[in-house]
Amino acid sequence: MVSFLPLSQAVAENLHDGDAVAFEGFTHLIPTAAAHEAIRKGFRDLTLIRMTPDIIYDQMIGMGMARKIVFSYIGNPGVGLLRRARDAIENGFPRKMEIEEHSHAGMASAYEAGAAGLPCAIFRGYRGAGLAAVNPNIRSVTCPFTGEVLAAVPAIRPDVTFIHAQKADRKGNVLVEGIIGIQKEAILGAKRAVVSVEEVVDSFDDLHPNLTVLPSWTITAIAVVPGGSHPSYTHGYYIRDNAAYLEWDKIAADRDRFEDWMRSNVLEKSADDFATRVEHLRTAA
C-alpha cells in the first residue's frame, strides 16, 4: 500500500547503496528535490539510469555517488556539456565510472520491456550506428517468423524509480499532465517507486479519469514537495528556470566552485527550500 511520507523518509526507506535507480523526467517534471535528498544522504555505488541525464545526474556524479550510468543522451539541455560527468568519464574524478550508452529508442524500448515484465526489448534499431561496438548489452536476434535481424537490449527494471508529478489524491493515485516522457514505464518496471508531488487533493472526481496515469498500486511512497522539480518545470505550476541551466555550466566547470555550490545549495538545504525557489516562476494553474 502506498504511504504518504516526508521526502527525507521516503528516500531513506527506498534507496540503498549499490541500487540501480532511475530519477526520470524529460525536460519537464525532473525530480530534483528527490535527487538532492539522495545527495544529502550520501548514497554510494549507484547505477544511475535515465534517458536524458542533465544537471541532477551531473551533481550526483560530481559527488562521487555513481558507479555506473545508463543513458541515451547526456548533457545540459539547451546549453551543452555536463562537465562533472565529463570529468568523471575522462579523468576518473571524483571516481571512475562505467558508462552504458544507448539511443533514445533503445532506452525507451528497454523501459517498456521492464514495465511489461519482459527480459529484453526487441526492436528495429542501431543499424549503421557504432554504439553496438562499445556497448556489449546491444545484441541482435533473428525473428523466427520473418528472418529479420533485430536489435535486442536488456529490460530496464530499476530497484527504485523517482519521479515528480502535479498531484496525488488521498487514495494515492497520481496525476501527471504535460510532457510525460518515460516516467510511467519507469515506475511500472521498478521494484519500488517514489513520487514527489506539488500537492495532494481530495480526489480526481472533477478530472477526466484518463489523466490518472499512475494508480496507487504502482507506487510505494508519495511526498509533497512544492517546487520539487526546479529548475525544470511543472506544467500548470511554474515555468522552467532557464537562467539556472545557463549558470550551472559555469558552476560545474570548476571543481572547487562545484563543491562550494553543492555545500551551500544542496547539503545545507532541505526539500522545504524548493517552494521559495519557484515563487518568481509560478504560472496560473
Side-chain angles (χ1 to χ4, degrees), residues 77-107:
V79 180
L81 303 173
L82 286 186
R83 298 185 183 275
R84 293 298 89 224
R86 182 167 184 169
D87 203 5
I89 293 167
E90 293 185 348
N91 303 313
F93 184 89
R95 60 174 293 178
K96 293 182 179 179
M97 182 178 67
E98 183 182 348
I99 64 171
E100 182 178 325
E101 185 175 2
H102 290 274
S103 66
H104 279 341
M107 284 282 286

Side-chain angles (χ1 to χ4, degrees), residues 121-247:
I122 299 171
F123 60 104
R124 293 186 178 93
Y126 296 117
R127 294 176 180 175
L131 280 176
V134 296
N135 182 351
N137 278 332
I138 299 171
R139 304 185 188 183
S140 62
V141 297
T142 301
C143 174
F145 302 103
T146 66
E148 183 180 5
V149 177
L150 301 168
V153 294
I156 292 177
R157 304 205 68 182
D159 293 307
V160 56
T161 289
F162 292 88
I163 69 166
H164 189 73
Q166 279 95 346
K167 300 176 183 179
D169 68 13
R170 301 201 183 279
K171 295 179 181 178
N173 302 300
V174 169
L175 172 69
V176 183
E177 294 182 282
I179 297 174
I180 296 176
I182 204 70
Q183 286 100 306
K184 180 172 68 174
E185 291 80 2
I187 290 284
L188 292 174
K191 297 175 184 175
R192 302 178 298 279
V194 177
V195 183
S196 56
V197 296
E198 293 293 323
E199 61 177 325
V200 174
V201 298
D202 288 335
S203 73
F204 296 151
D205 291 346
D206 58 340
L207 300 174
H208 193 289
N210 284 347
L211 291 177
T212 307
V213 298
L214 294 172
S216 60
W217 56 266
T218 66
I219 300 163
T220 309
I222 294 171
V224 181
V225 188
S229 71
H230 179 268
S232 74
Y233 72 100
T234 294
H235 173 70
Y237 290 81
Y238 44 90
I239 62 174
R240 188 175 188 266
D241 190 348
N242 291 316
Y245 285 91
L246 291 169
E247 183 64 15

